[in-house]
Each structure stands twice: as C-alpha cells, then as structure tokens.
Amino acid sequence: MPRAQVLRVIPAYHRIWANTDPELIAFADKSAGHGNFRSWAKITAHAARTLDKIGRETVDGDVLGYVFSKLSGRSS
C-alpha cells in the first residue's frame, strides 16, 4: 500500500491505531510495515498483546519500540 493508503487503512484496521499519531504510523510503516498488510498484521498482533499487558489502548513510541524489538528477534 502507498503511504497515503496506509494512513487511511491502518487506523480503521484495528482500534489500537485509531487514535495513534499519523506520524507514528508513517514511521512504523517506513521502519517495519513497508506498505505490506501481512507485516502490519504482525505489528498489530505484537502491539495489541503489549497494550493488553500494560493496560493501555493506543500505540505510542515506547510501545512501538518494544514491538520493533520483538519483530527483530531481540528480547527486551
């Protein structure tokens, strides 16, 4: 998906992205999503589990950093 489409689709895809800063979504796409919905599904699954564990509802930079560490195979 092109970046503009990512910024429309991802907030509608899952509630955890609905109130996330669009710049953070764009950063996540550039860093890990690459416009690929399968990649976004992985990012979303990790982020949703993390948010459930910490009792929050919206992705921020800290959550995204943790998700990136999980995607890269590093433990944090």
Side-chain angles (χ1 to χ4, degrees):
M1 294 180 282
R3 183 72 35 87
Q5 187 176 5
V6 167
L7 294 174
R8 283 191 317 271
V9 169
I10 296 305
Y13 165 58
H14 197 285
R15 63 178 170 75
I16 65 171
W17 302 110
N19 295 312
T20 300
D21 183 344
E23 289 184 23
L24 191 63
I25 294 172
F27 175 73
D29 189 56
K30 182 178 179 182
S31 301
H34 310 294
N36 181 290
F37 201 79
R38 183 175 292 212
S39 296
W40 272 103
K42 290 178 186 178
I43 294 166
T44 301
H46 283 291
R49 277 192 299 273
T50 301
L51 290 170
D52 283 345
K53 285 181 185 178
I54 63 174
R56 293 180 30 209
E57 296 183 3
T58 302
V59 176
D60 64 12
D62 292 335
V63 170
L64 196 57
Y66 181 75
V67 167
F68 287 169
S69 76
K70 292 299 179 187
L71 292 172
S72 70
R74 295 180 304 197
S75 41
S76 298

